[in-house]
Amino acid sequence: MKRYFPYLAAAMLFVPFAAGAATGSHDFSNIFKACYAAANASEESKSACLGEELTLQSKAAAELHQSTSQLLSGAERQQLTDDFVAWKKNILLDCSIQADSKTVPLERENAREYCLIERTIGRMDAYEAIRQDKTLRR
């Protein structure tokens, strides 16, 4: 699992800072992009878009976690699962802290959800890197 640590570390640490320049294969859905663009400045409209996108991306990340873990040996699989649990706790805390700068509750929740989506996309990109590495080694 140690050889996968750099991918996971990048997902947890560097993706939030480079989200705009990320070159991973995962991104916000086209439905979300259209919804968010149509929302203009309405925080209520953005909230609906963000909620749906967070659900979609979280489900995709869980499925990708499951399929990635099936490629790994027992010890590696357990480490990936442990990392996933720790990552989930960290992003929940980090995104909440990051959103605390917003004073309006709906803006704060929107910022938190946007952060969670970005971090989830970064995690999926890290899983893809693990999958690619694992298939190249076979």
Side-chain angles (χ1 to χ4, degrees):
M1 188 66 208
K2 289 182 182 180
R3 66 177 170 255
Y4 300 123
F5 182 74
Y7 301 120
L8 296 173
M12 291 186 288
L13 300 174
F14 301 120
V15 170
F17 302 111
T23 59
S25 60
H26 296 276
D27 196 5
F28 289 90
S29 71
N30 290 333
I31 293 170
F32 170 77
K33 290 176 185 176
C35 180
Y36 208 71
N40 294 323
S42 168
E43 290 298 323
E44 292 83 11
S45 297
K46 288 179 181 179
S47 180
C49 301
L50 287 163
E52 290 176 21
E53 184 71 1
L54 182 56
T55 300
L56 177 76
Q57 295 289 354
S58 295
K59 182 180 177 187
E63 290 171 359
L64 192 54
H65 169 80
Q66 182 65 29
S67 65
T68 301
S69 70
Q70 291 174 353
L71 296 172
L72 304 174
S73 69
E76 291 175 324
R77 183 177 299 138
Q78 185 58 51
Q79 184 62 47
L80 187 71
T81 299
D82 293 346
D83 289 345
F84 182 78
V85 170
W87 167 79
K88 195 69 167 167
K89 288 178 184 176
N90 285 335
I91 68 164
L92 289 171
L93 179 61
D94 291 348
C95 290
S96 292
I97 291 170
Q98 187 179 38
D100 276 346
S101 64
K102 305 289 184 187
T103 57
V104 177
L106 188 55
E107 287 179 13
R108 184 171 40 252
E109 182 59 18
N110 286 352
R112 187 185 73 79
E113 287 184 351
Y114 195 90
C115 173
L116 290 170
I117 295 166
E118 283 183 323
R119 303 276 179 104
T120 301
I121 289 170
R123 183 71 178 202
M124 289 191 294
D125 287 341
Y127 281 152
E128 289 297 343
I130 291 170
R131 294 169 63 80
Q132 185 176 27
D133 181 61
K134 196 66 174 176
T135 54
L136 290 176
R137 292 181 181 268
R138 287 186 173 190

